[in-house]
Amino acid sequence: MATDDVAPYRIGEVADRLGVSTRTLRYYQELGLLDPAGQSEGGNRRYSEDDVTRAMRILELRNVMGFELERIGEILSSEDRLAEIRAEAKRGVSVTRKREIAAEAIAITEHVREQVADKMAVLADFDADLEARLARLHIFVAELAEAADGEVSGEQAAARA
């Protein structure tokens, strides 16, 4: 059965929209990161707007945050679980269950935050290394300028003689 109303986008349309290859989207599906909402009558993948949003999130975590795909899977699972327990809490559960949900949400969020902090520490180390390189380069350029000034003064003295 076709699911064009629920999942109107073909894989090529989504790939073009996101600036990735269709192979990338298939790979994300193989890894369990992305699961197209439907199929056409011919069995082709069909993507919903939610699927496109999830693919954009994957790309954001990969390209902007620099996470590897395994870590992205963990983060997406955490976000999925948070959405599940948020929906449960909205359905009207006991105060005791709301406390349990809040505790679980805190633990999940702290775990994801630790992953982000780890990534930020790696980036901070990289940035510190680049800063040290720049400092050495600035010193080198200053030394070159001093040497050039010395050469000019020497040439001027020779010209006067």
Side-chain angles (χ1 to χ4, degrees):
M1 175 166 91
T3 57
D4 288 356
D5 337 343
V6 177
Y9 306 110
R10 296 185 327 258
I11 191 169
E13 294 171 320
V14 175
D16 288 345
R17 183 170 164 186
L18 300 177
V20 299
S21 68
T22 57
R23 177 68 191 121
T24 296
L25 295 175
R26 287 186 192 97
Y27 185 57
Y28 291 167
Q29 183 179 0
E30 289 172 25
L31 295 176
L33 300 176
L34 184 63
D35 188 23
Q39 289 186 346
S40 68
E41 290 180 8
N44 295 316
R45 294 168 178 84
R46 301 297 286 200
Y47 294 82
S48 68
E49 195 60 43
D50 287 343
D51 296 332
V52 174
T53 300
R54 186 174 183 96
M56 289 170 65
R57 180 70 171 144
I58 293 166
L59 295 173
E60 174 185 51
L61 291 168
R62 185 192 76 184
N63 298 341
V64 176
M65 298 296 296
F67 286 117
E68 65 279 351
L69 294 175
E70 183 178 325
R71 181 78 44 107
I72 290 171
E74 292 174 25
I75 292 170
L76 292 174
S77 292
S78 296
E79 290 176 349
D80 291 346
R81 181 61 186 147
L82 287 170
E84 289 170 8
I85 61 177
R86 189 177 310 114
E88 180 184 349
K90 285 182 180 179
R91 286 194 298 268
V93 294
S94 70
V95 172
T96 301
R97 179 63 187 136
K98 283 185 181 181
R99 278 193 210 110
E100 293 168 355
I101 288 170
E104 184 179 354
I106 288 169
I108 291 169
T109 303
E110 285 175 344
H111 178 69
V112 172
R113 188 163 186 245
E114 286 171 12
Q115 293 179 4
V116 171
D118 290 346
K119 178 58 75 175
M120 289 173 60
V122 169
L123 291 173
D125 288 346
F126 183 62
D127 184 52
D129 182 53
L130 291 173
E131 187 173 341
R133 288 180 192 184
L134 279 171
R136 288 191 303 270
L137 285 167
H138 285 296
I139 291 168
F140 178 69
V141 168
E143 289 170 352
L144 289 175
E146 288 176 15
D149 288 345
E151 288 176 10
V152 171
S153 296
E155 290 172 9
Q156 290 172 346
R160 288 184 203 146

